[in-house]
Amino acid sequence: MDRPALASFLRARRERLRPEDVGLPGGVRRRVAGLRREEVAQLALMSVDYYTRLEQERGPQPSPQMLASLTRALRLSRAERDHLHRLAGHTPPEVSGSADHVAPALQRVLDRLDDIPSLVVSELDETLAQNDLARALFGPRESLTGPERSGAWCWFMRPETDRAVYPASDHDRQSRAIVANLRVVAGRTGPASRAARLIAELRAGSAEFARLWDLEEVAERFADHKVLLHPAVGEIEVDCQVLFTEDRSQALLTLTPQPGSPGAEKLRMLAVLGPLAAERQPG
């Protein structure tokens, strides 16, 4: 770990960003160039003290998960992400199948969405970035690691907790849609892909998944009408729209209620509840 070089790189990348670049209000008077340290810490979902120590060359070696959070917060390119990992003493993630780098174009759109739940997901339904309303609705999911990063894995391997956001009457439809979408991804990425490994694990671990996989259904699942459940506000009806990257490896999902509907009012309530609503942890 090269502490001086890491600190210098973090400072330089922080100073080149303006608040409006990351969806934050600029304010009238700012004494520092670029973002403040506390703003980077907020975006990276880490403590201000932890981030400050990194910039002061006295922090502990950040984990790959911390580096992924910093990559998102500082809007780093893939080359910059890899450089960050090397400075921190880690091997850069493999480009093929990596699920920790948000496509910059999707991140720029997400930065400007603050009044509707919005999130960026990978092709395996791994949450890569969320806005505050999405955290309030689904819980904070960007920092998950291992198999539980995949919403598909969670849906079939721990259904007693991860299906609570949907009414029971919708579980079968959601299950079939998830399986049909995984078949699309597997067909696009091939037998040596992460999708293929996930499918093999699910077929071995979930009888429901194995049964649905044998139906040979193929479909992409994102754009539809949804009823979501939240313990604080109850049922919320929304329409899901999706924006894909060119290679379709990532998608920006937006959940919009009908104007003037009960769903719109409940999302406004969630926005007010903020951190209290986000206390529901995934799983």
Side-chain angles (χ1 to χ4, degrees):
M1 178 178 174
D2 189 337
R3 294 179 188 277
L6 175 63
S8 178
F9 182 71
L10 290 174
R11 285 193 299 270
R13 291 304 176 268
R14 172 172 62 82
E15 291 172 357
R16 79 176 182 181
L17 286 173
R18 300 170 300 172
E20 52 267 34
D21 294 333
V22 297
L24 295 174
V28 179
R29 302 174 64 183
R30 298 179 67 89
R31 294 192 235 176
V32 298
L35 298 181
R36 301 185 180 99
R37 286 172 176 167
E38 56 265 31
E39 290 170 333
V40 175
Q42 174 189 343
L43 292 167
L45 303 178
M46 62 179 59
S47 72
V48 178
D49 178 68
Y50 183 93
Y51 179 76
T52 299
R53 285 187 289 144
L54 289 177
E55 280 204 8
Q56 293 178 343
E57 305 178 21
R58 58 187 181 88
Q61 183 184 34
S63 67
Q65 291 76 29
M66 281 293 190
L67 295 176
S69 295
L70 286 169
T71 293
R72 291 191 294 269
L74 295 170
R75 309 312 192 241
L76 301 184
S77 68
R78 283 193 184 274
E80 291 168 336
R81 176 204 65 180
D82 292 352
H83 183 63
L84 177 67
H85 276 74
R86 294 188 184 98
L87 292 179
H90 292 287
T91 302
E94 295 181 11
V95 174
S96 176
S98 176
D100 67 354
H101 187 267
V102 181
L106 296 188
Q107 183 69 67
R108 287 194 294 271
V109 177
L110 180 64
D111 289 339
R112 286 156 176 78
L113 298 173
D114 56 11
D115 60 344
I116 56 173
S118 305
L119 58 159
V120 177
V121 299
S122 74
E123 59 194 358
L124 299 184
D125 199 17
E126 297 154 317
T127 300
L128 308 181
Q130 301 169 278
N131 66 7
D132 288 341
L133 262 177
R135 292 187 193 99
L137 188 56
F138 298 110
R141 303 193 67 94
E142 304 107 307
S143 60
L144 293 176
T145 59
E148 67 179 7
R149 289 195 74 184
S150 169
W153 186 93
C154 293
W155 183 267
F156 287 102
M157 300 299 277
R158 56 180 195 190
E160 67 284 353
T161 56
D162 274 71
R163 299 190 185 191
V165 73
Y166 289 97
S169 59
D170 200 31
H171 287 182
D172 182 64
R173 183 179 72 91
Q174 284 294 117
S175 295
R176 294 179 67 165
I178 291 170
V179 175
N181 183 72
L182 270 179
R183 192 178 293 278
V184 172
V185 177
R188 183 171 66 246
T189 58
S193 65
R194 291 193 309 127
R197 293 193 293 273
L198 174 62
I199 290 164
E201 183 176 354
L202 291 176
R203 292 189 72 183
S206 168
E208 179 190 10
F209 181 90
R211 174 178 60 80
L212 295 175
W213 184 259
D214 289 341
L215 297 179
E216 299 282 347
E217 293 179 333
V218 181
E220 290 183 321
R221 61 177 281 254
F222 294 117
D224 60 8
H225 184 76
K226 296 180 182 292
V227 176
L228 303 175
L229 303 179
H230 190 278
V233 299
E235 289 190 358
I236 307 173
E237 290 194 41
V238 293
D239 292 310
C240 179
Q241 298 297 321
V242 59
L243 175 65
F244 287 103
T245 54
E246 185 175 357
D247 64 0
R248 304 185 79 80
S249 64
Q250 294 182 14
L252 171 67
L253 308 184
T254 61
L255 303 173
T256 58
Q258 288 290 331
S261 67
E265 178 59 30
K266 289 176 180 179
L267 287 180
R268 282 192 289 271
M269 291 173 59
L270 275 184
V272 173
L273 289 171
L276 293 176
E279 285 181 0
R280 175 171 65 180
Q281 297 293 321

